[in-house]
Amino acid sequence: MSTEVTWPDTPDEALLSAVHRVMRAVVELGGAVGYPEPPGREATDPWLEELLKSVRDGDARLALAVVDGTVQGMGLWRRDPAAVFAHTAELGKIMAHPEARGLGLGRLVVSALVDDARAAGIETMTLGVRGNNYGAIELYESIGFREWGRLPNAIEVGSRRFDSVHMFLELGRAPGVVLHGSAPGGPGSSPRRG
């Protein structure tokens, strides 16, 4: 079995079809990847085209796990568009086609995306995961992600509500970066009242 990670930046019919195949199959089994119902090409094609424009602009990357010539897994990172957060990126759409589960594609894709984001100068990577997705949470924790917040019952799936778990991973900082944290003073500071 041959497995590789590829980094597409231009949509074509083969790529659009391959990504749709994975996303639809994952959602059909209840996968928590942002679609309440299995998406059609009318949903996934524009999404992928927009993402690949961001890739070409240097603000995102799409990693595909290709097994024996077939796209079986995927994930992405996308830079935060706000200027003051341009050093952060969100990890998303981590998934493996059901027929490829158990091959370690999630770890392969997430690790490749973390390394790629670090090389692109991203300092902090964030992600959101459904609170009941224990396997994904364990995968992210094993790579070094830590939980920074949880919004109870915020994800709506029909009449059910699930926690939205927020996680982060620090990727390193350039020399000379000053970490001010929540200390008083500096731009945007205000004094405590009372």
Side-chain angles (χ1 to χ4, degrees), residues 8-190:
D9 63 5
T10 306
D12 60 24
E13 177 55 30
L15 179 62
L16 293 165
S17 176
V19 167
H20 176 259
R21 174 186 161 275
V22 172
M23 292 179 86
R24 182 168 182 85
V26 167
V27 176
E28 281 176 346
L29 288 182
V33 294
Y35 295 95
E37 300 292 330
R41 290 280 301 265
E42 72 282 353
T44 60
D45 285 4
W47 171 83
L48 182 57
E49 289 166 350
E50 186 272 328
L51 171 65
L52 292 176
K53 181 187 179 312
S54 293
V55 168
R56 292 187 302 275
D57 291 344
D59 293 326
R61 290 281 271 170
L62 173 65
L64 300 179
V66 180
V67 180
D68 293 335
T70 301
V71 174
Q72 296 286 32
M74 61 179 281
L76 64 94
W77 67 258
R78 188 185 307 242
R79 189 182 305 272
D80 192 302
V84 296
F85 291 110
H87 61 285
T88 66
E90 184 174 18
L91 187 73
K93 298 285 192 264
I94 306 299
M95 63 188 90
H97 193 283
E99 70 186 26
R101 297 248 167 100
L103 298 179
L105 300 184
R107 176 173 301 283
L108 176 71
V109 166
V110 172
S111 296
L113 288 164
V114 166
D115 290 345
D116 186 75
R118 184 179 285 118
I122 299 298
E123 296 178 8
T124 305
M125 183 169 273
T126 65
L127 63 84
V129 60
R130 194 181 293 177
N132 67 338
N133 195 345
Y134 304 121
I137 292 169
E138 288 172 4
L139 168 65
Y140 300 136
E141 287 175 339
S142 75
I143 292 172
F145 283 85
R146 294 180 291 161
E147 183 176 328
W148 65 266
R150 184 177 291 248
L151 194 54
N153 299 304
I155 298 173
E156 175 184 335
V157 181
S159 62
R160 296 192 218 177
R161 303 295 181 266
F162 299 90
D163 289 355
S164 179
V165 178
H166 303 276
M167 303 180 82
F168 77 100
L169 177 66
E170 293 185 275
L171 304 181
R173 307 198 192 282
V177 169
V178 176
L179 300 180
H180 196 81
S182 296
S189 176
S190 63

